[in-house]
């Protein structure tokens, strides 16, 4: 399977630069094996059944974008994840000559520095910052910014509106570089309607890493390696999901992040175990899904691992047809865009 198999042309005007207001007024394309229907996110309860279980990602986005200096050279830093040895794995820009042992001075706050402790073959690096814990988090609030995707232009930088818009209502556990965007569509009113319908809600965690912004660079997809991301399913969450399935309910993953955690934590029968660790699960067409019965997700970039994942779930041909319809019908794409509810192929 090749990268070019997952390409499509999106007119630039179809890229959303702000979310729908209210959030549950976004459009919703219901994709089934036999066709699709045009709805809005507020219609979601009518597409689900009493006893179904929605699984959402409760990660919270941190201000992961920093600017540093090595001499006169400006260096872009995107935090990825903390490492067990106390360093941070990061992506660097304009840092080809930044060598191990050198110090980067961080802009935006006095005397905030980091030492390059490793450079990795995949282009990432490890930095040791001059402070940890609450002191580091305070410095990050002062010097950092949200790492908005590059297709959301902000000429003067990320706005205060983005700080609220790019966070889901479930955000509780800090650590994500990017938002789990399917969760952006939810409102208290929608949650009330889902609860009234008898649909359960379970929270799990996957901290979306900086690798989400990187393109796939190998034409042969078997050669691609996913960046690992940290996640957790608590014993209570695992029990609630298993209970719903045992009672005949369907497991509805809100977002590809929730899906990847569930598929990483299940056995061959779909039973979910409590789980904590890292996952680099790469899902391509041919993958056998065990834990998830429905997927609520946004419209994804061409040639991306997320487009490959939804093609694996709903089928290559149905996804191609659905995306062509969405483009023709004026749906809004990507992080701030509209959503689709996918049934399995």
């Amino acid at each position: 399977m090749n990268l070019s198999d997952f390409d499509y042309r999106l007119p630039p005007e179809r890229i959303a630069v702000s979310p729908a207001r209210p959030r549950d007024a976004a459009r919703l394309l219901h994709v089934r094996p036999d066709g699709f229907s045009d709805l809005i996110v507020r219609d979601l309860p009518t597409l689900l059944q009493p006893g179904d279980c929605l699984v959402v990602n409760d990660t919270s986005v941190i201000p992961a974008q920093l600017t540093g200096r090595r001499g006169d050279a400006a260096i872009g830093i995107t935090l990825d994840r903390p490492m067990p040895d106390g360093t941070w794995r990061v992506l660097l820009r304009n840092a080809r000559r930044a060598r191990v042992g050198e110090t980067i001075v961080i802009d935006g706050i006095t005397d905030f520095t980091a030492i390059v402790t490793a450079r990795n073959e995949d282009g990432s690096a490890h930095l040791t910052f001059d402070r940890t814990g609450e002191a580091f988090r305070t410095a990050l609030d002062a010097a950092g910014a949200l790492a908005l995707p590059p297709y959301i232009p902000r000429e003067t930088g990320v706005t205060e509106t983005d700080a609220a818009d790019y966070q889901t209502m479930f955000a509780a556990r800090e650590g994500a570089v990017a938002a789990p965007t399917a969760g952006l569509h939810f409102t208290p009113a929608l949650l009330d309607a889902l609860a009234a319908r008898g649909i359960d809600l379970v929270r799990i965690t996957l901290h979306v890493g900086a690798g989400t912004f990187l393109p796939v660079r190998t034409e042969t997809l078997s050669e691609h390696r996913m960046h690992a991301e940290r996640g957790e399913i608590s014993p209570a969450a695992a029990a609630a999901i298993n209970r719903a399935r045992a009672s005949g309910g369907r497991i509805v993953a809100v977002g590809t992040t929730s899906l990847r955690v569930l598929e990483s934590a299940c056995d061959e029968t779909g039973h979910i175990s409590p789980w904590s660790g890292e996952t680099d699960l790469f899902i391509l067409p041919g993958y056998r899904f065990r834990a998830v019965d429905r997927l609520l997700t946004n419209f994804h970039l061409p040639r991306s691992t997320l487009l490959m994942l939804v093609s694996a779930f709903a089928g290559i041909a149905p996804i191609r047809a659905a995306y062509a319809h969405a483009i023709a019908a004026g749906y809004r794409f990507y992080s701030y865009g509209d959503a689709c509810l996918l049934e399995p192929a």
Side-chain angles (χ1 to χ4, degrees):
M1 208 166 298
N2 296 321
L3 182 61
S4 56
D5 296 330
F6 299 92
D7 204 0
Y8 69 92
R9 181 183 174 276
L10 182 70
E13 62 270 19
R14 293 286 177 263
I15 300 174
V17 296
S18 61
R21 304 191 193 282
R23 295 186 182 197
D24 59 4
R27 298 176 72 182
L28 176 66
L29 184 63
H30 182 200
V31 182
R32 308 176 305 277
D34 62 348
F36 33 80
S37 303
D38 298 302
L39 304 163
I40 61 173
V41 170
R42 206 172 294 145
D43 295 321
L44 181 61
T46 68
L47 302 176
L48 304 180
Q49 300 170 0
D52 286 350
C53 179
L54 278 175
V55 182
V56 301
N57 186 356
D58 67 359
T59 189
S60 177
V61 183
I62 63 173
Q65 189 67 58
L66 298 166
T67 300
R69 300 197 175 271
R70 174 184 165 274
D72 294 331
I75 296 175
I77 303 167
T78 304
L79 302 180
D80 181 33
R81 66 184 189 275
M83 306 301 292
D85 62 1
T87 65
W88 273 84
R89 185 183 184 277
V90 302
L91 301 182
L92 299 177
R93 295 179 307 285
N94 193 33
R96 186 169 298 176
R97 296 183 181 179
R99 299 180 177 88
V100 172
E102 292 185 330
T103 296
I104 298 174
V105 178
I106 310 299
D107 291 348
I109 186 172
T110 304
D111 299 328
F112 187 21
T113 62
I115 297 174
V116 182
T117 53
R119 298 297 301 265
N120 304 319
E121 291 183 0
D122 63 1
S124 66
H126 288 190
L127 299 183
T128 299
F129 288 91
D130 66 355
R131 60 201 77 186
T132 60
E134 286 301 317
F136 173 75
R137 191 62 183 84
T138 299
L140 195 60
D141 281 334
L146 290 177
L148 277 184
Y151 50 76
I152 300 178
R154 295 291 185 263
E155 293 183 3
T156 58
V158 176
T159 67
E160 290 186 9
T161 301
D162 285 317
D165 286 343
Y166 201 59
Q167 199 79 268
T168 75
M169 66 174 297
F170 311 111
R173 307 186 67 188
E174 288 193 338
V177 172
T181 54
L184 295 177
H185 299 293
F186 285 80
T187 64
L190 179 56
L191 291 190
D192 288 344
L194 289 162
R197 176 78 167 149
I199 295 159
D200 199 8
L201 185 92
V202 174
R203 292 166 170 81
I204 63 175
T205 306
L206 184 73
H207 297 305
V208 187
T212 193
F213 297 125
L214 298 177
V216 178
R217 301 185 186 281
T218 59
E219 176 61 24
T220 303
L221 296 181
S222 60
E223 299 174 358
H224 177 69
R225 294 295 175 267
M226 295 283 285
H227 288 265
E229 295 172 314
R230 300 172 293 130
E232 182 177 352
I233 299 178
S234 69
I241 295 167
N242 292 329
R243 189 165 54 247
R245 167 155 282 156
S247 299
R250 300 172 301 183
I251 307 306
V252 183
V254 177
T256 58
T257 58
S258 296
L259 181 147
R260 290 179 64 238
V261 175
L262 292 170
E263 292 292 326
S264 297
C266 73
D267 64 16
E268 286 299 314
T269 69
H271 180 86
I272 303 294
S273 297
W275 179 84
S276 179
E278 294 187 342
T279 180
D280 59 359
L281 181 62
F282 181 25
I283 295 177
L284 287 167
Y287 178 88
R288 184 176 70 83
F289 291 87
R290 299 162 295 174
V292 175
D293 303 299
R294 298 289 187 275
L295 173 61
L296 180 73
T297 187
N298 283 25
F299 292 93
H300 301 295
L301 277 72
R303 304 169 72 91
S304 66
T305 60
L306 300 183
L307 183 59
M308 298 167 200
L309 186 156
V310 298
S311 297
F313 189 84
I316 294 175
I319 286 295
R320 285 178 178 163
Y323 273 51
H325 169 79
I327 292 170
Y331 278 71
R332 303 162 74 246
F333 276 57
Y334 305 163
S335 294
Y336 277 158
D338 296 317
C340 48
L341 179 68
L342 304 181
E343 297 190 7

